Amino acid sequence: MELRHIRYFLAVANELNFTQAAAKLCIAQPPLSRQIQDLEKELGVKLFIRKPHGLQLTEEGMRFQQYAVQVLDLVEKSTEDIRKMNKGLQGTLYLATVEGRAPRLFSEWIAGFNKMYPHVQYNLWNGNSDDVAYRVTQDLCDLAIIMEPYNAEGMNALHVYKEPWIAMIPAQHPLAQEPGSSIELKKLAPYDLIIPSRKSRLQEISRWFEMSGTQPVVRCRIAHMMNAYELTEQGVGITLYPAAAGEMSERRNICIKKIVDPEVTASYVLIWNKNRQLPLVAREFLDYVKQLL
């Protein structure tokens, strides 16, 4: 039995379809089928039940799947450890993040981690929380920062930061002329609002206004912080966003006020796939972040 047999078996076991598994492995289907047949012959058991519309693991196949995962994990760990002994920690860390405070958090962590392990490379992807969480579940990235609320199923999570929500108000707006660095939420109710595009955000913000006995007038929903600056500057509406957006704005024609009554916060969460063994470089980075926190 060779390692390729185990890799081929796991691909078929995950897809339960020879055609899809062959495509994922970038090989033709007939050779893949022969490899699985050879493996079954060597083990003396059937690993799959062939059905008209796919495959089903036998009881022996399910047991072998557990061992196969452990074998490949051990091979990966041993290979990484030996390389680390020779040249230090290496590899590429795949990260994904939302806007707001998250890019700064990752940047600070990477800066410190890079001093310890200068040979590690980084690949960063940006999107909204739903898109980022999807990349984690599909194993397209190792670690990611999203904002609550989120679906925690299948994920490990670590809370890493919390900040207040703010109102970004056009400088000529009447509310911008009021004294003080904060504003009651109910005062925003009569005006057009610009909010993040996530469906859960609309529900969350609507609940805030319900608490103050009012309803929001949502004029525009946006996916990126740059849109918040431009739309606010043009007087389209008042933007509701986590505080990091205000800290990054240097525009004199935008007034920033913290939202109070109720005082609402945005929570950032570091997540990773619960059902996947993280690569060594990701495990080391996660341990580093935990020590910082």
Side-chain angles (χ1 to χ4, degrees):
M1 185 185 307
E2 300 179 16
L3 280 177
R4 60 185 170 86
H5 289 119
I6 296 177
R7 292 192 173 96
Y8 289 171
F9 164 78
L10 283 177
V12 177
N14 289 334
E15 300 295 331
L16 292 178
N17 183 290
F18 277 114
T19 302
Q20 295 175 10
K24 196 168 186 178
L25 293 166
C26 298
I27 64 174
Q29 180 184 334
L32 176 60
S33 298
R34 287 196 296 271
Q35 294 289 339
I36 297 301
Q37 291 172 1
D38 291 343
L39 180 60
E40 289 179 324
K41 184 176 180 181
E42 181 175 351
L43 294 172
V45 297
K46 288 291 183 183
L47 298 172
F48 298 96
I49 299 173
R50 277 72 171 172
K51 293 187 173 183
H53 301 292
L55 302 170
Q56 178 181 331
L57 281 165
T58 63
E59 185 175 348
E60 293 84 356
M62 288 187 284
R63 177 64 63 84
F64 187 71
Q65 184 181 30
Q66 296 175 0
Y67 286 123
V69 169
Q70 295 176 19
V71 168
L72 287 189
D73 281 346
L74 182 59
V75 169
E76 181 181 346
K77 289 178 183 177
S78 61
T79 302
E80 290 173 339
D81 287 344
I82 295 302
R83 287 175 177 169
K84 183 179 177 181
M85 289 177 61
N86 183 37
K87 296 182 179 179
L89 186 65
Q90 298 184 64
T92 300
L93 186 59
Y94 293 89
L95 307 171
T97 177
V98 296
E99 292 186 318
R101 178 66 60 173
R104 180 177 296 181
L105 291 173
F106 262 146
S107 297
E108 291 173 351
W109 298 341
I110 289 173
F113 194 73
N114 189 57
K115 293 178 180 178
M116 298 169 56
Y117 303 109
H119 299 297
V120 173
Q121 296 179 317
Y122 304 89
N123 186 308
L124 278 78
W125 187 91
N126 292 82
N128 65 37
S129 288
D130 295 333
D131 294 336
V132 170
Y134 176 79
R135 292 183 71 83
V136 172
T137 60
Q138 297 301 306
D139 295 337
L140 297 175
C141 69
D142 302 316
L143 300 165
I145 297 179
I146 60 174
M147 295 173 66
E148 292 184 324
Y150 68 98
N151 182 2
E153 183 178 355
M155 294 184 188
N156 289 311
L158 180 67
H159 285 80
V160 294
Y161 194 78
K162 182 180 290 187
E163 66 181 352
W165 280 72
I166 59 168
M168 300 171 60
I169 309 170
Q172 303 305 316
H173 195 283
L175 293 180
Q177 311 305 316
E178 293 188 2
S181 59
S182 62
I183 186 168
E184 295 180 9
L185 185 72
K186 64 183 179 182
K187 288 186 176 182
L188 303 174
Y191 302 103
D192 290 345
L193 300 179
I194 302 165
I195 69 171
S197 60
R198 292 178 66 196
K199 182 178 179 180
S200 57
R201 281 287 178 238
L202 176 59
Q203 296 169 342
E204 181 182 17
I205 291 170
S206 295
R207 286 196 298 269
W208 300 346
F209 280 90
E210 287 176 6
M211 293 169 61
S212 65
T214 59
Q215 291 183 338
V217 180
V218 177
R219 181 60 54 203
C220 187
R221 296 169 68 181
I222 57 177
H224 298 289
M225 207 156 53
M226 185 57 65
N227 297 128
Y229 299 145
E230 297 296 339
L231 290 168
T232 303
E233 197 169 42
Q234 294 300 320
V236 174
I238 297 172
T239 299
L240 307 188
Y241 231 80
E247 295 175 8
M248 297 176 186
S249 174
E250 298 178 354
R251 306 187 183 201
R252 297 179 182 178
N253 45 2
I254 294 179
C255 174
I256 306 295
K257 290 182 181 288
K258 177 183 175 183
I259 297 174
V260 295
D261 295 329
E263 186 170 318
V264 287
T265 58
S267 296
Y268 295 83
V269 184
L270 181 67
I271 61 171
W272 61 99
N273 193 330
K274 184 183 295 184
N275 302 312
R276 175 196 176 207
Q277 174 69 42
L278 287 174
L280 176 62
V281 63
R283 297 198 302 272
E284 293 285 352
F285 187 83
L286 179 59
D287 289 342
Y288 173 76
V289 171
K290 287 180 178 178
Q291 292 173 13
L292 291 179
L293 297 176

